[in-house]
Every structure is written in C-alpha cells, then in structure tokens.
Amino acid sequence: MKFFKYLFFLIVLIFVVGSLYIATISIPEEKTLNFETPITAELFEQKIQDLSTYENWFSFPQKSTSEPRLSSAEDFENTTLSWQNETFEAINFQNKNLDEDSIQQRLVLKTWLSSSEFDIRWKFESSENVSNIIVHLKSDANFWQKTEYVFTGKTHLEITEKAITQSLKTLEQTITKEISVYDISPIGKLETGGFYILHATSASRLNFDSILRKSKPIFQSIEEFMKQQELDIFKGKLIVFENFYNDSENIIFSAGIGSKNQVAIPNYFEVLSKQIRSNVYFKTQLKGDYINLKELLSIAEATIEKRELVIDKTLKPYLEFQVDSSDTVNPAEWVTNFYIPIFEN
C-alpha cells in the first residue's frame, strides 16, 4: 500500500516539477521573414490574398491528409481555407483585412496536444529591380505549446516559418512560369494611320530595354500635358521609329500619345506633334513580356519576306502598346502591336 502511495506522490512530484520546468521555457512569439524576388510584388499580392490559389503553392513540410476546403469565398474578410496533414489535425487560414500594401491573415494550427493562433501580416514593397515580401508572424505560446515543444523539439512558429519560406519559393516559380508565357501572331495587312502623335524624340541603339526605359518618362510627361490641355487620347502609348531603315548605329525614335487631330502646342511645352500618315501596314502582335520584342521584330520581317511583300521605307514603323503595365502588372497579359508600312500590291 505504501508503495502505491509513494508512487502516487512521485508522479505528482514529477508532474509539478515538470510543469514548473515547462513554465520557465521561453519560446519566441514573433518572427519577421524577408523574401527578396525580381518579380513585381503585386503579382505575389494577388496570389496571397486569394486563398483559392494556395493549393497550388502553399504547403507545410508534412504530407496533407485531407483535401483543402474553401469557405465564404465571396467575403474577403471571412474567407477561410482549411485542411489537415500528418502533424496538424486542423490548419485554418483566414483573411482578415486588405490594405493598400499589406494583407492581414489569421492562421490556426491544432494538434492532439495543443493549438496556436498566428496573426500574419504580409507586406509588399517593389522597386525598379527587386521586390520584397515581408512576413510578420505573431503568436502567444501557451503552456501546452511549450509542452509539445519539450516532446517534439519543434515549435509551431518554426514549422510555420519553414512552410512560408519554402512556399514563397514555390510561388515565385509558379509566377515565373505564368508570366513567361507569350505568343507572337502575324495579323496581316491593314490600313491604319491618319492620326497625330504628341511626342518627344530620343535615341538609342536597337536595344528595346533602353528604348522602353527612355520612353517611360516621356509617356508620363505627354499624358500629363494632354490631361492639362483636356485633350482626348485617340491612340495609347506609341513609339515611332524615325530612321529604322537607314543603317544607322543609333535608332532615333519618337515616344508619345496618339491624338485624332493636330494640336497647337505652346512654345513653352517641350512637346512635338507629327502626323502618322494613313497607309497600308503589316501588323504583328505580341501577347507577353517586352523581353520578346526582338523576336516580334524578327517574326514580323520574316513574315513580310515570306509573303513577298515590300516594305515602304519612306514611312516609319511604329509600336503600339495596346495593353501595358498601367492596365495589368502581369506581363503575360500585355499586348503590343508592331506596324510596318508596306506597298500595297
């Protein structure tokens, strides 16, 4: 009888001492991750706020044991994604708030022994060459989480940190694959022109990266001018190549905005106006990133030669940015038309 009595007290003592030990354990409750990527942060933001995409890129290291369940998809602040895996009896992501540059979410993890609740804040920063996805995790580690840590050697915060880091790498690969899709289509002969372009002129070697970089501030300046003057835009952003067929080392080009009618421009504005004459042009279309513009030019000229058409070198070819980054940040959705003047057969 005394044996069981002593055994009982020993068990109680072990429990008390163990509890005191567990209570003294310190587990980090906050973590900030910084994921750097060359892809614009807005593309990440679109995916991260849409919980229906998580099945394609987000995963914990352990194997899933259930299909993901999406609920309240029509209500952003209550949209919830739930599933289970070999470690957690329940994994629940819930959108809470969407700001101009950040997303707030709640993540709940449950095991047979403990549960944890994370406040997650995704913040998105973009610069010219690199973007940062900043993820802040915050959770209060309770007694049972500490107990589980004693048995497993891993905290829910560590598991979540690893899952987010690896999942962002997967998401980067997914987005890279999506935006690399492009299509170049010869459209054919058509009559166009017969409008004016408000522009500024610059020069570059035949390097589309350089041409686009120099054109961007010109587009912005001309758009501001047209807004000030209350002028209607007839055509969107255009780049007219002035000496494309002169075998010159530098390409002179005019970047600007199309206008239906000629505009009288005050002398104090550094804006010029010229006519794009009506003529027969061969149109080739690129759907995709501007890194494919060189291929667009090559296919356009090869198609013209194949169809035994003759380029009218007295007129100027031009690019038309039908859909660009001001319409969508996804390069796969950009549409650029290249018009080469030809003689009518």
Side-chain angles (χ1 to χ4, degrees):
M1 193 70 178
K2 288 184 178 180
F3 172 77
F4 290 107
K5 183 178 179 181
Y6 291 140
L7 180 61
F8 173 75
F9 281 117
L10 179 61
I11 293 172
V12 171
L13 181 62
I14 292 173
F15 178 77
V16 171
V17 173
S19 297
L20 290 173
Y21 169 72
I22 290 170
T24 63
I25 293 175
S26 176
I27 295 179
E29 298 180 346
E30 292 189 54
K31 184 73 175 183
T32 298
L33 313 176
N34 191 349
F35 183 79
E36 189 174 284
T37 175
I39 301 172
T40 179
E42 291 179 74
L43 291 173
F44 281 83
E45 184 176 7
Q46 291 175 359
K47 298 288 188 182
I48 290 168
Q49 67 179 282
D50 184 1
L51 293 179
S52 68
T53 71
Y54 279 46
E55 184 178 4
N56 300 323
W57 62 271
F58 193 95
S59 64
F60 282 88
Q62 299 78 18
K63 183 180 179 181
S64 295
T65 57
S66 72
E67 293 296 323
R69 300 179 299 277
L70 187 69
S71 60
S72 302
E74 69 286 348
D75 180 8
F76 176 84
E77 294 187 359
N78 292 302
T79 303
T80 303
L81 180 68
S82 306
W83 75 96
Q84 298 171 324
N85 70 8
E86 293 174 338
T87 297
F88 296 107
E89 295 179 351
I91 303 168
N92 296 294
F93 268 105
Q94 183 179 14
N95 285 335
K96 301 301 292 183
N97 191 40
L98 178 63
D99 294 329
E100 184 176 343
D101 65 344
S102 67
I103 299 169
Q104 281 79 43
Q105 293 178 329
R106 181 72 45 79
L107 171 63
V108 177
L109 302 174
K110 293 182 180 180
T111 67
W112 68 274
L113 181 61
S114 72
S115 67
S116 57
E117 190 173 277
F118 289 90
D119 289 322
I120 305 179
R121 183 170 186 259
W122 306 81
K123 187 175 176 60
F124 307 92
E125 298 178 350
S126 290
S127 61
E128 187 172 345
N129 298 316
V130 69
S131 295
N132 284 310
I133 316 300
I134 302 166
V135 190
H136 184 72
L137 304 170
K138 184 177 181 181
S139 177
D140 295 328
N142 58 34
F143 175 83
W144 292 110
Q145 285 184 53
K146 294 178 181 180
T147 303
E148 186 172 329
Y149 170 68
V150 170
F151 289 123
T152 65
K154 294 181 181 179
T155 67
H156 289 192
L157 179 62
E158 291 171 335
I159 295 172
T160 302
E161 176 188 355
K162 182 178 180 181
I164 289 176
T165 300
Q166 187 57 49
S167 295
L168 283 174
K169 293 178 182 178
T170 303
L171 180 56
E172 182 180 54
Q173 294 170 356
T174 300
I175 293 174
T176 299
K177 186 175 180 179
E178 287 180 359
I179 65 178
S180 65
V181 174
Y182 74 99
D183 178 68
I184 299 176
S185 304
I187 304 299
K189 296 191 299 180
L190 53 83
E191 187 166 341
T192 187
F195 59 89
Y196 292 83
I197 178 174
L198 305 183
H199 69 96
T201 300
S202 186
S204 170
R205 293 185 179 276
L206 188 53
N207 181 314
F208 285 110
D209 286 339
S210 175
I211 291 171
L212 292 170
R213 187 171 59 253
K214 292 182 178 182
S215 297
K216 187 174 181 180
I218 297 176
F219 291 143
Q220 294 173 344
S221 177
I222 304 283
E223 285 177 332
E224 290 173 5
F225 168 77
M226 295 185 75
K227 186 176 181 180
Q228 291 172 5
Q229 301 299 308
E230 298 181 350
L231 299 173
D232 293 331
I233 295 176
F234 174 68
K235 290 277 188 180
K237 301 178 180 70
L238 306 170
I239 295 178
V240 179
F241 298 99
E242 304 289 347
N243 62 337
F244 202 73
Y245 302 109
N246 291 359
D247 296 325
S248 175
E249 286 189 7
N250 285 330
I251 294 292
I252 299 172
F253 61 92
S254 298
I257 311 294
S259 172
K260 182 65 175 176
N261 301 306
Q262 190 170 16
V263 177
I265 301 173
N267 292 333
Y268 52 86
F269 282 107
E270 294 182 356
V271 176
L272 303 173
S273 176
K274 73 168 64 177
Q275 184 179 27
I276 305 298
R277 284 171 46 191
S278 180
N279 194 74
V280 176
Y281 289 79
F282 189 86
K283 177 181 177 180
T284 310
Q285 186 175 82
L286 163 67
K287 294 181 179 178
D289 200 325
Y290 301 141
I291 60 174
N292 302 297
L293 282 173
K294 188 174 182 180
E295 186 177 352
L296 171 66
L297 170 61
S298 176
I299 289 178
E301 293 182 332
T303 305
I304 287 173
E305 182 178 357
K306 182 178 180 180
R307 297 187 184 183
E308 297 183 346
L309 301 174
V310 179
I311 297 174
D312 185 351
K313 296 183 179 180
T314 64
L315 298 179
K316 302 172 178 60
Y318 66 92
L319 284 170
E320 174 191 35
F321 299 92
Q322 181 177 324
V323 178
D324 68 356
S325 56
S326 61
D327 301 299
T328 171
V329 296
N330 187 348
E333 297 176 2
W334 297 346
V335 179
T336 309
N337 299 316
F338 191 31
Y339 297 89
I340 296 179
I342 60 174
F343 288 105
E344 188 171 8
N345 292 342

